[in-house]
Amino acid sequence: MLQIRSMQDDDWPEIWAVLEPTFRRGDTYAFRQDITQNEAHHYWVELPAATYVAQDGGPVLGTYYIKPNQPGAGSHVCNCGYVVAEAARGQGIASAMCQHSQEQARALGFRAMQYNLVVASNTGAVRLWRRHGFEIVGTLPGAFKHPQLGYVDAHVMYKHLIDS
Amino acid sequence: MLQIRSMQDDDWPEIWAVLEPTFRRGDTYAFRQDITQNEAHHYWVELPAATYVAQDGGPVLGTYYIKPNQPGAGSHVCNCGYVVAEAARGQGIASAMCQHSQEQARALGFRAMQYNLVVASNTGAVRLWRRHGFEIVGTLPGAFKHPQLGYVDAHVMYKHLIDS
Protein backbone atom coordinates (compact mmCIF):
# COMPACT_ATOMS: atom_id res chain seq x y z
CA MET A 1 0.00 0.00 0.00
CA LEU A 2 1.30 3.41 -0.93
CA GLN A 3 2.48 5.50 1.99
CA ILE A 4 3.36 9.16 1.90
CA ARG A 5 5.49 10.62 4.68
CA SER A 6 7.84 13.50 5.46
CA MET A 7 11.30 12.95 4.02
CA GLN A 8 14.26 12.22 6.25
CA ASP A 9 17.81 13.26 5.46
CA ASP A 10 18.84 9.78 4.41
CA ASP A 11 16.05 9.66 1.82
CA TRP A 12 17.88 12.18 -0.35
CA PRO A 13 19.83 9.70 -2.56
CA GLU A 14 16.57 7.94 -3.47
CA ILE A 15 14.77 11.26 -3.98
CA TRP A 16 17.53 12.42 -6.31
CA ALA A 17 17.29 9.14 -8.21
CA VAL A 18 13.62 9.99 -8.83
CA LEU A 19 14.21 13.65 -9.67
CA GLU A 20 17.29 13.41 -11.86
CA PRO A 21 15.82 11.71 -14.95
CA THR A 22 12.90 14.17 -14.96
CA PHE A 23 15.12 17.23 -14.62
CA ARG A 24 17.56 15.90 -17.26
CA ARG A 25 14.67 15.35 -19.68
CA GLY A 26 13.68 18.98 -19.17
CA ASP A 27 10.19 18.77 -20.65
CA THR A 28 8.12 19.43 -17.51
CA TYR A 29 10.17 21.49 -15.01
CA ALA A 30 11.95 24.79 -15.59
CA PHE A 31 15.16 23.66 -13.95
CA ARG A 32 18.34 23.73 -16.00
CA GLN A 33 18.77 20.30 -17.60
CA ASP A 34 22.32 20.22 -16.21
CA ILE A 35 21.23 21.10 -12.66
CA THR A 36 23.62 19.68 -10.08
CA GLN A 37 22.56 17.45 -7.25
CA ASN A 38 23.40 20.23 -4.77
CA GLU A 39 21.23 22.75 -6.61
CA ALA A 40 18.39 20.26 -6.77
CA HIS A 41 18.70 19.67 -3.03
CA HIS A 42 18.52 23.42 -2.48
CA TYR A 43 15.32 23.80 -4.54
CA TRP A 44 13.59 20.59 -3.46
CA VAL A 45 14.60 20.31 0.22
CA GLU A 46 16.14 23.50 1.60
CA LEU A 47 13.88 26.22 0.18
CA PRO A 48 10.52 24.46 0.72
CA ALA A 49 8.58 24.37 3.96
CA ALA A 50 8.32 20.57 3.72
CA THR A 51 9.29 17.68 1.44
CA TYR A 52 7.58 14.29 1.26
CA VAL A 53 8.21 10.86 -0.24
CA ALA A 54 5.86 8.15 -1.49
CA GLN A 55 6.77 4.49 -1.04
CA ASP A 56 5.13 1.12 -1.34
CA GLY A 57 7.29 -1.02 0.91
CA GLY A 58 10.39 -0.42 -1.21
CA PRO A 59 12.39 2.49 -2.61
CA VAL A 60 11.05 6.02 -3.04
CA LEU A 61 8.59 6.10 -5.96
CA GLY A 62 7.58 9.74 -5.80
CA THR A 63 8.34 12.99 -4.03
CA TYR A 64 6.85 16.44 -3.61
CA TYR A 65 7.50 19.70 -1.81
CA ILE A 66 5.33 22.48 -0.36
CA LYS A 67 6.48 26.08 -0.06
CA PRO A 68 4.96 29.55 0.13
CA ASN A 69 4.63 30.78 -3.46
CA GLN A 70 5.47 34.35 -2.43
CA PRO A 71 6.76 35.97 0.76
CA GLY A 72 4.78 38.36 2.96
CA ALA A 73 1.37 39.32 1.63
CA GLY A 74 1.39 36.35 -0.78
CA SER A 75 2.56 33.71 1.70
CA HIS A 76 -0.92 32.25 2.33
CA VAL A 77 -0.75 30.70 -1.16
CA CYS A 78 1.50 27.68 -1.46
CA ASN A 79 3.24 26.07 -4.39
CA CYS A 80 4.01 22.37 -4.78
CA GLY A 81 6.12 20.32 -7.18
CA TYR A 82 5.66 16.59 -7.74
CA VAL A 83 7.82 13.98 -9.45
CA VAL A 84 7.11 10.27 -9.89
CA ALA A 85 9.82 7.74 -10.77
CA GLU A 86 9.68 6.87 -14.46
CA ALA A 87 9.20 3.16 -13.69
CA ALA A 88 6.25 3.92 -11.39
CA ARG A 89 4.10 6.04 -13.71
CA GLY A 90 0.45 5.21 -14.26
CA GLN A 91 -0.17 3.85 -10.76
CA GLY A 92 -1.91 6.88 -9.31
CA ILE A 93 1.10 8.08 -7.31
CA ALA A 94 0.94 11.67 -8.58
CA SER A 95 -2.76 11.76 -7.78
CA ALA A 96 -2.17 10.42 -4.27
CA MET A 97 0.59 12.99 -3.69
CA CYS A 98 -1.65 15.81 -4.96
CA GLN A 99 -4.39 14.77 -2.54
CA HIS A 100 -1.89 14.43 0.32
CA SER A 101 -0.34 17.81 -0.46
CA GLN A 102 -3.68 19.59 -0.19
CA GLU A 103 -4.25 18.09 3.25
CA GLN A 104 -0.74 18.99 4.38
CA ALA A 105 -1.06 22.50 2.97
CA ARG A 106 -4.27 23.07 4.91
CA ALA A 107 -2.57 21.74 8.06
CA LEU A 108 0.30 24.17 7.47
CA GLY A 109 -2.20 27.02 7.28
CA PHE A 110 -2.18 27.73 3.54
CA ARG A 111 -5.43 29.02 2.02
CA ALA A 112 -4.78 28.23 -1.64
CA MET A 113 -2.38 26.33 -3.91
CA GLN A 114 -0.86 27.65 -7.12
CA TYR A 115 1.12 25.96 -9.88
CA ASN A 116 3.08 28.62 -11.73
CA LEU A 117 4.19 26.88 -14.88
CA VAL A 118 2.26 23.78 -15.95
CA VAL A 119 3.63 23.00 -19.38
CA ALA A 120 0.69 22.82 -21.79
CA SER A 121 2.20 19.88 -23.67
CA ASN A 122 2.20 17.91 -20.40
CA THR A 123 -1.45 17.06 -20.98
CA GLY A 124 -1.52 14.26 -18.41
CA ALA A 125 -0.55 16.69 -15.65
CA VAL A 126 -3.05 19.34 -16.79
CA ARG A 127 -5.82 16.72 -16.79
CA LEU A 128 -4.79 15.38 -13.39
CA TRP A 129 -4.68 18.79 -11.69
CA ARG A 130 -8.06 19.69 -13.17
CA ARG A 131 -9.50 16.47 -11.82
CA HIS A 132 -8.23 17.59 -8.39
CA GLY A 133 -10.11 20.86 -8.66
CA PHE A 134 -7.37 23.12 -9.98
CA GLU A 135 -8.44 25.71 -12.53
CA ILE A 136 -6.38 27.16 -15.34
CA VAL A 137 -6.53 30.83 -14.32
CA GLY A 138 -4.13 31.96 -17.02
CA THR A 139 -1.97 30.78 -19.91
CA LEU A 140 1.51 32.19 -20.52
CA PRO A 141 2.18 32.16 -24.26
CA GLY A 142 5.48 30.50 -25.17
CA ALA A 143 6.73 30.68 -21.59
CA PHE A 144 8.39 27.23 -21.60
CA LYS A 145 11.19 26.15 -23.94
CA HIS A 146 10.53 22.47 -24.54
CA PRO A 147 13.64 20.53 -25.65
CA GLN A 148 11.78 18.90 -28.58
CA LEU A 149 8.77 21.16 -29.22
CA GLY A 150 10.41 24.58 -28.81
CA TYR A 151 8.46 27.40 -27.15
CA VAL A 152 5.20 26.07 -25.75
CA ASP A 153 2.52 27.65 -23.56
CA ALA A 154 2.39 27.14 -19.82
CA HIS A 155 -0.62 27.38 -17.54
CA VAL A 156 -1.02 29.01 -14.17
CA MET A 157 -3.32 26.74 -12.14
CA TYR A 158 -4.96 27.61 -8.84
CA LYS A 159 -7.18 26.07 -6.19
CA HIS A 160 -8.73 27.47 -3.02
CA LEU A 161 -8.06 25.10 -0.11
CA ILE A 162 -10.51 26.61 2.35
CA ASP A 163 -13.88 28.30 2.04
CA SER A 164 -13.19 31.99 2.10
CA MET B 1 15.64 65.53 -17.50
CA LEU B 2 15.04 62.04 -16.16
CA GLN B 3 17.93 59.67 -16.62
CA ILE B 4 17.85 55.93 -16.05
CA ARG B 5 21.12 54.06 -15.54
CA SER B 6 22.55 50.90 -14.02
CA MET B 7 22.92 51.16 -10.27
CA GLN B 8 26.33 51.41 -8.63
CA ASP B 9 27.12 50.02 -5.20
CA ASP B 10 27.02 53.43 -3.55
CA ASP B 11 23.47 54.04 -4.82
CA TRP B 12 22.11 51.49 -2.36
CA PRO B 13 21.31 53.88 0.54
CA GLU B 14 19.22 56.05 -1.79
CA ILE B 15 17.59 52.99 -3.38
CA TRP B 16 16.66 51.68 0.06
CA ALA B 17 15.22 55.11 0.95
CA VAL B 18 12.91 54.71 -2.07
CA LEU B 19 12.03 51.06 -1.41
CA GLU B 20 11.52 51.11 2.35
CA PRO B 21 8.29 53.17 2.58
CA THR B 22 6.70 51.06 -0.16
CA PHE B 23 7.69 47.73 1.43
CA ARG B 24 6.59 48.96 4.90
CA ARG B 25 3.20 50.00 3.51
CA GLY B 26 2.80 46.46 2.16
CA ASP B 27 -0.06 47.16 -0.24
CA THR B 28 1.71 46.53 -3.57
CA TYR B 29 4.61 44.10 -3.05
CA ALA B 30 4.54 40.67 -1.44
CA PHE B 31 7.58 41.33 0.73
CA ARG B 32 7.19 41.04 4.48
CA GLN B 33 6.36 44.49 5.83
CA ASP B 34 9.21 44.08 8.33
CA ILE B 35 11.74 43.09 5.66
CA THR B 36 15.27 44.06 6.69
CA GLN B 37 17.55 46.19 4.58
CA ASN B 38 19.81 43.19 4.00
CA GLU B 39 16.92 41.06 2.77
CA ALA B 40 15.76 43.87 0.49
CA HIS B 41 19.29 44.14 -0.92
CA HIS B 42 19.26 40.41 -1.58
CA TYR B 43 15.95 40.53 -3.49
CA TRP B 44 16.47 43.84 -5.31
CA VAL B 45 20.20 43.74 -6.10
CA GLU B 46 21.79 40.32 -5.58
CA LEU B 47 19.20 37.97 -7.10
CA PRO B 48 18.34 40.05 -10.21
CA ALA B 49 20.34 40.14 -13.41
CA ALA B 50 20.44 43.95 -13.28
CA THR B 51 19.17 46.87 -11.16
CA TYR B 52 18.61 50.43 -12.36
CA VAL B 53 17.97 53.87 -10.88
CA ALA B 54 16.10 56.90 -12.21
CA GLN B 55 17.32 60.39 -11.35
CA ASP B 56 16.66 63.94 -12.45
CA GLY B 57 19.88 65.66 -11.41
CA GLY B 58 19.32 64.87 -7.73
CA PRO B 59 18.68 61.85 -5.52
CA VAL B 60 17.32 58.52 -6.74
CA LEU B 61 13.61 58.92 -7.58
CA GLY B 62 12.88 55.41 -8.80
CA THR B 63 14.43 51.98 -9.16
CA TYR B 64 13.74 48.71 -10.91
CA TYR B 65 15.27 45.27 -11.39
CA ILE B 66 15.27 42.67 -14.16
CA LYS B 67 15.65 38.95 -13.53
CA PRO B 68 14.74 35.67 -15.19
CA ASN B 69 11.28 34.73 -13.92
CA GLN B 70 12.19 31.03 -13.88
CA PRO B 71 15.41 29.06 -14.32
CA GLY B 72 16.19 26.77 -17.24
CA ALA B 73 13.37 26.29 -19.69
CA GLY B 74 11.56 29.39 -18.38
CA SER B 75 14.58 31.71 -18.31
CA HIS B 76 13.74 33.48 -21.59
CA VAL B 77 10.90 35.24 -19.73
CA CYS B 78 11.98 38.02 -17.40
CA ASN B 79 10.35 39.61 -14.40
CA CYS B 80 10.75 43.22 -13.27
CA GLY B 81 9.81 45.16 -10.16
CA TYR B 82 9.54 48.97 -10.07
CA VAL B 83 9.29 51.42 -7.18
CA VAL B 84 8.98 55.22 -7.36
CA ALA B 85 9.73 57.49 -4.39
CA GLU B 86 6.50 58.61 -2.74
CA ALA B 87 7.37 62.28 -3.27
CA ALA B 88 7.99 61.71 -6.99
CA ARG B 89 4.74 60.00 -7.97
CA GLY B 90 2.68 61.27 -10.89
CA GLN B 91 5.65 62.45 -12.96
CA GLY B 92 5.80 59.55 -15.38
CA ILE B 93 8.79 57.89 -13.72
CA ALA B 94 7.19 54.43 -13.53
CA SER B 95 6.21 54.69 -17.17
CA ALA B 96 9.74 55.73 -18.17
CA MET B 97 11.21 52.83 -16.19
CA CYS B 98 8.76 50.37 -17.76
CA GLN B 99 9.78 51.53 -21.24
CA HIS B 100 13.48 51.40 -20.31
CA SER B 101 13.11 47.93 -18.81
CA GLN B 102 11.65 46.53 -22.02
CA GLU B 103 14.61 47.84 -24.02
CA GLN B 104 17.08 46.49 -21.48
CA ALA B 105 15.31 43.15 -21.35
CA ARG B 106 15.51 42.79 -25.12
CA ALA B 107 19.21 43.73 -24.99
CA LEU B 108 19.73 41.04 -22.34
CA GLY B 109 18.10 38.49 -24.65
CA PHE B 110 14.73 38.03 -22.96
CA ARG B 111 11.78 37.21 -25.21
CA ALA B 112 8.91 38.17 -22.90
CA MET B 113 8.22 39.93 -19.60
CA GLN B 114 5.92 38.68 -16.86
CA TYR B 115 4.55 40.33 -13.72
CA ASN B 116 3.53 37.60 -11.32
CA LEU B 117 1.41 39.41 -8.77
CA VAL B 118 -0.06 42.76 -9.77
CA VAL B 119 -2.40 43.62 -6.92
CA ALA B 120 -5.84 44.28 -8.40
CA SER B 121 -6.49 47.17 -5.99
CA ASN B 122 -3.38 48.90 -7.38
CA THR B 123 -5.45 50.18 -10.29
CA GLY B 124 -2.90 52.79 -11.34
CA ALA B 125 -0.29 50.10 -11.92
CA VAL B 126 -2.70 47.83 -13.79
CA ARG B 127 -3.70 50.71 -16.06
CA LEU B 128 -0.07 51.70 -16.64
CA TRP B 129 1.11 48.22 -17.54
CA ARG B 130 -1.83 47.79 -19.91
CA ARG B 131 -0.92 51.05 -21.60
CA HIS B 132 2.55 49.56 -22.11
CA GLY B 133 1.10 46.54 -23.88
CA PHE B 134 0.93 44.07 -21.00
CA GLU B 135 -2.09 41.81 -20.94
CA ILE B 136 -3.79 40.33 -17.92
CA VAL B 137 -3.36 36.65 -18.77
CA GLY B 138 -4.81 35.44 -15.48
CA THR B 139 -6.24 36.55 -12.16
CA LEU B 140 -5.37 34.83 -8.88
CA PRO B 141 -8.37 35.02 -6.56
CA GLY B 142 -7.50 36.37 -3.11
CA ALA B 143 -3.79 35.82 -3.67
CA PHE B 144 -2.67 39.04 -1.97
CA LYS B 145 -3.35 39.96 1.65
CA HIS B 146 -3.77 43.74 1.60
CA PRO B 147 -3.13 45.39 5.00
CA GLN B 148 -6.37 47.40 4.82
CA LEU B 149 -8.55 45.54 2.29
CA GLY B 150 -7.84 41.94 3.32
CA TYR B 151 -7.55 39.24 0.65
CA VAL B 152 -7.65 40.83 -2.80
CA ASP B 153 -7.10 39.42 -6.28
CA ALA B 154 -3.80 39.68 -8.10
CA HIS B 155 -3.18 39.63 -11.83
CA VAL B 156 -0.54 37.82 -13.85
CA MET B 157 0.45 40.20 -16.66
CA TYR B 158 2.55 39.30 -19.70
CA LYS B 159 4.03 40.89 -22.80
CA HIS B 160 5.99 39.47 -25.70
CA LEU B 161 9.12 41.53 -26.30
CA ILE B 162 10.01 40.13 -29.70
CA ASP B 163 8.06 38.85 -32.66
CA SER B 164 8.03 35.11 -32.33
Side-chain angles (χ1 to χ4, degrees):
Chain A
M1 195 188 120
L2 192 72
Q3 293 202 311
I4 302 176
R5 59 169 176 80
S6 294
M7 77 163 282
Q8 297 180 324
D9 286 347
D10 61 3
D11 290 320
W12 173 249
E14 291 190 19
I15 292 173
W16 174 239
V18 170
L19 297 177
E20 186 177 8
T22 292
F23 293 171
R24 298 280 177 254
R25 226 174 41 242
D27 55 357
T28 54
Y29 276 88
F31 295 117
R32 290 198 339 271
Q33 284 179 274
D34 64 350
I35 189 171
T36 66
Q37 185 174 167
N38 278 348
E39 289 169 332
H41 188 269
H42 178 72
Y43 280 116
W44 207 263
V45 177
E46 292 162 49
L47 280 185
T51 305
Y52 301 85
V53 294
Q55 286 176 300
D56 190 358
V60 169
L61 301 176
T63 177
Y64 80 90
Y65 70 77
I66 301 183
K67 65 176 172 61
N69 198 45
Q70 298 281 351
S75 62
H76 58 290
V77 180
C78 68
N79 167 252
C80 292
Y82 314 83
V83 173
V84 175
E86 292 190 337
R89 302 273 163 91
Q91 302 173 22
I93 297 173
S95 184
M97 292 198 296
C98 181
Q99 187 61 41
H100 190 268
S101 70
Q102 294 176 56
E103 294 157 12
Q104 292 297 308
R106 280 189 202 95
L108 290 166
F110 291 108
R111 299 171 59 91
M113 191 178 291
Q114 179 174 336
Y115 304 147
N116 298 304
L117 202 74
V118 182
V119 183
S121 58
N122 190 3
T123 53
V126 175
R127 200 163 44 230
L128 181 58
W129 307 147
R130 292 183 76 133
R131 206 160 67 223
H132 278 274
F134 287 79
E135 285 179 49
I136 294 175
V137 294
T139 298
L140 308 163
F144 189 89
K145 189 173 184 180
H146 189 288
Q148 285 81 42
L149 304 175
Y151 295 104
V152 297
D153 295 350
H155 303 304
V156 179
M157 300 187 74
Y158 196 90
K159 182 181 178 177
H160 283 292
L161 297 175
I162 60 170
D163 299 327
S164 54
Chain B
M1 193 189 121
L2 192 72
Q3 293 203 310
I4 303 176
R5 60 167 175 81
S6 294
M7 78 165 281
Q8 296 180 325
D9 286 347
D10 61 4
D11 290 319
W12 173 249
E14 292 191 17
I15 292 174
W16 174 238
V18 169
L19 296 177
E20 186 177 9
T22 292
F23 293 171
R24 297 282 177 252
R25 225 173 44 241
D27 55 358
T28 53
Y29 275 88
F31 295 118
R32 289 197 340 271
Q33 285 179 272
D34 63 351
I35 189 171
T36 66
Q37 186 174 165
N38 278 348
E39 289 168 332
H41 189 269
H42 178 72
Y43 280 116
W44 207 264
V45 177
E46 290 162 49
L47 280 185
T51 305
Y52 301 84
V53 295
Q55 287 176 301
D56 190 357
V60 168
L61 301 177
T63 177
Y64 81 89
Y65 70 77
I66 301 182
K67 65 176 173 59
N69 198 45
Q70 299 279 353
S75 62
H76 57 291
V77 181
C78 68
N79 167 252
C80 293
Y82 314 83
V83 174
V84 175
E86 292 189 338
R89 302 273 163 90
Q91 302 172 20
I93 296 173
S95 184
M97 290 197 297
C98 181
Q99 187 60 41
H100 190 269
S101 71
Q102 293 176 56
E103 294 156 12
Q104 291 298 309
R106 280 188 203 95
L108 290 165
F110 291 108
R111 300 171 59 93
M113 191 178 291
Q114 180 175 336
Y115 304 146
N116 298 304
L117 202 73
V118 182
V119 183
S121 58
N122 190 3
T123 52
V126 175
R127 201 164 42 233
L128 181 59
W129 307 147
R130 291 182 75 134
R131 206 159 67 222
H132 277 276
F134 286 78
E135 285 180 49
I136 294 175
V137 293
T139 298
L140 308 162
F144 189 88
K145 189 174 184 179
H146 189 287
Q148 285 81 43
L149 304 175
Y151 294 104
V152 296
D153 295 350
H155 303 304
V156 180
M157 300 187 75
Y158 196 89
K159 181 180 178 178
H160 283 291
L161 298 176
I162 58 169
D163 299 326
S164 53

